[in-house]
Amino acid sequence: MTTAAIIVAAGRGRRAGGETPKQWRALASRRVVDWTLDRFRLPEITHIVLVLSPDDDPAWEEFGATDLLLAKGGTERADSVRNGLQALAGRGVTRVLIHDVARPCVTAALIRTVIQALDSHDAAAPGLVVTDALWSGADGFVEGTRDRAGLFAAQTPQGFDYDLICAAHEVRSGEAADDVEVARAAGIKVAIVPGEADNLKITRAEDFARAERVLRRDMDVRLGNGYDVHRFGPGDHVILCGCRIPHGRGLQGHSDADVGMHAVTDAIYGALAQGDIGRHFPPSDPQWKGAASEIFLAHAVSLAGNMGYHIANIDCTLVCEHPKIGPHAADMQTEMARIMGLTSDQVSIKATTSERLGFTGREEGIAALATACLVRS
Ligand code: MG
């Protein structure tokens, strides 16, 4: 499956006030368009099409020099989307996400939810259940109420089978509120996935302040480092980053002596300012004797979640002459990612020797260093 994204940025956005269309206006130190594009720079997404107004000359020059595909905006939104779909023709794209540039607070989690829903549906889009009472009104007075049962507020990104949405846009002309409307007119069933309250569409002037609050909260980033050492002793294997590696000696320690996993665990505790493994799992407590270090790492990850953070990435360096880490690094990445609920590309495991210097060089033990980056969820 090859997934592409189309970011529709050709609107003039006059309702948001100001002379400049909203996508080019500053939001938390960057432009709206920059925030939105960055949200779609995910390993799962192979192509990003930016649909621009023919009038936005400097943007054509600026983005023409990047890896983005560009498409020309049309008179109606549907024309812009159609041009964006055509820009993907012949590129082997099987699924496409269509997103409004004015929703810069969309999260990677929501984008992935829509992509995953396309595994079992031809189309999927986020919607928020309407929970507020609904009124009709005129001249500042309530004129009636509306039944909210079964109503959803539609969001983007809206995801589709590429060929089906292309065909739907081919036969449909004229105005459509969104691509779900175009898809449904062609008989495509659209699954609803849960939207996010913070995935707001910047429409009015005051929406900038709300979007900025959401984005600045996301910028609550914490770093932690971890360092650990275990000495060699008798044995026929070591456990490193969750992987059992045959070796002429074992590592000694109270638990399974997984020096790499301990360093990563301490990096997470460090980012949270919550001490270290010894504080949460005292070595004086016999229940942790010989324990699988996975327990410690899983605890640190769940503590991060409880404190409102998720792990953005982990980097771990093992320092040893032997065993050679390279052949096992990919397995270690997979195993560490599994325990932490991350994807492998969020976990780096690498190794170095110390040029036969010091205790690691004399092969008396293995050291490990780790860095963890945590972001507020
Ligand atoms: Mg340790």
Side-chain angles (χ1 to χ4, degrees):
M1 287 293 177
T2 303
T3 307
I6 295 174
I7 310 298
V8 186
R12 311 316 292 158
R14 293 199 181 84
R15 270 183 295 173
E19 288 296 301
T20 312
K22 56 195 170 189
Q23 60 269 36
W24 308 120
R25 288 178 53 185
L27 177 68
S29 314
R30 307 170 75 195
R31 295 172 303 185
V32 171
V33 67
D34 300 319
W35 284 108
T36 306
L37 285 170
D38 266 7
R39 299 290 161 138
F40 285 84
R41 294 189 201 282
L42 299 172
E44 299 93 320
I45 294 177
T46 53
H47 304 86
I48 301 177
V49 182
L50 181 63
V51 185
L52 293 170
S53 162
D55 302 332
D56 285 328
D57 289 336
W60 282 88
E61 199 169 315
E62 176 190 344
F63 291 104
T66 67
D67 59 346
L68 298 172
L69 300 170
L70 302 184
K72 203 172 276 187
T75 324
E76 303 292 343
R77 185 184 182 282
D79 301 323
S80 299
V81 172
R82 200 174 297 120
N83 292 345
L85 290 168
Q86 277 164 10
L88 291 167
R91 295 179 186 273
V93 170
T94 52
R95 308 192 284 202
V96 63
L97 307 180
I98 302 171
H99 185 72
D100 291 327
V101 71
R103 292 189 191 269
C105 303
V106 62
T107 62
L110 181 59
I111 294 169
R112 287 183 166 129
T113 299
V114 175
I115 293 174
Q116 276 159 20
L118 292 177
D119 288 343
S120 44
H121 302 282
D122 289 334
L128 273 188
V129 174
V130 174
T131 52
D132 294 326
L134 295 176
W135 300 331
S136 56
D139 303 325
F141 290 94
V142 176
E143 292 203 321
T145 55
R146 292 276 187 273
D147 185 6
R148 68 183 174 222
L151 290 185
F152 292 81
Q155 298 189 340
T156 68
Q158 298 177 349
F160 306 92
D161 176 274
Y162 176 72
D163 292 333
L164 290 178
I165 192 68
C166 285
H169 268 280
E170 280 310 311
V171 296
R172 165 109 189 179
S173 59
E175 255 184 272
D178 61 9
D179 299 286
V180 164
E181 186 178 334
V182 174
R184 292 195 67 254
I188 301 170
K189 272 189 91 149
V190 183
I192 303 172
V193 301
E196 292 178 344
D198 286 337
N199 182 22
L200 72 149
K201 183 173 183 180
I202 296 177
T203 308
R204 301 154 304 171
E206 57 267 35
D207 295 332
F208 279 90
R210 190 178 151 212
E212 187 149 334
R213 281 199 299 277
V214 172
L215 293 169
R216 291 217 184 271
R217 187 196 62 204
D218 283 359
M219 280 190 266
D220 182 354
V221 173
R222 305 184 75 128
L223 296 179
N225 69 66
Y227 174 72
D228 196 26
V229 172
H230 282 264
R231 75 166 66 234
F232 279 122
D236 59 4
H237 71 277
V238 293
I239 306 277
L240 290 174
C241 293
C243 295
R244 183 189 168 101
I245 300 172
H247 190 56
R249 285 176 292 168
L251 288 173
Q252 296 185 320
H254 192 67
S255 63
D256 64 7
D258 188 335
V259 63
M261 201 176 290
H262 293 178
V264 170
T265 305
D266 274 349
I268 297 169
Y269 286 134
L272 298 168
Q274 289 294 317
D276 57 17
I277 295 176
R279 177 164 139 195
H280 298 277
F281 300 92
S284 54
D285 187 337
Q287 68 170 309
W288 309 122
K289 182 151 179 58
S293 299
E294 176 172 346
I295 298 166
F296 312 151
L297 181 57
H299 175 266
V301 172
S302 81
L303 184 62
N306 293 341
M307 290 177 68
Y309 291 88
H310 65 272
I311 298 166
N313 76 301
I314 292 290
D315 184 21
C316 177
T317 303
L318 299 165
V319 187
C320 59
E321 304 290 331
H322 295 99
K324 289 297 171 200
I325 302 303
H328 306 282
D331 288 344
M332 293 178 180
Q333 262 180 295
T334 305
E335 179 60 5
M336 294 290 281
R338 180 192 66 77
I339 297 166
M340 291 186 280
L342 303 177
T343 54
S344 294
D345 67 304
Q346 292 173 286
V347 181
S348 156
I349 307 290
K350 58 197 196 302
T352 184
T353 71
S354 47
E355 300 279 333
R356 307 213 69 84
L357 297 171
F359 70 88
T360 52
R362 293 189 297 270
E363 302 198 39
E364 294 165 2
I366 296 181
L369 304 91
T371 304
C373 176
L374 275 58
V375 179
R376 185 165 281 285
S377 297

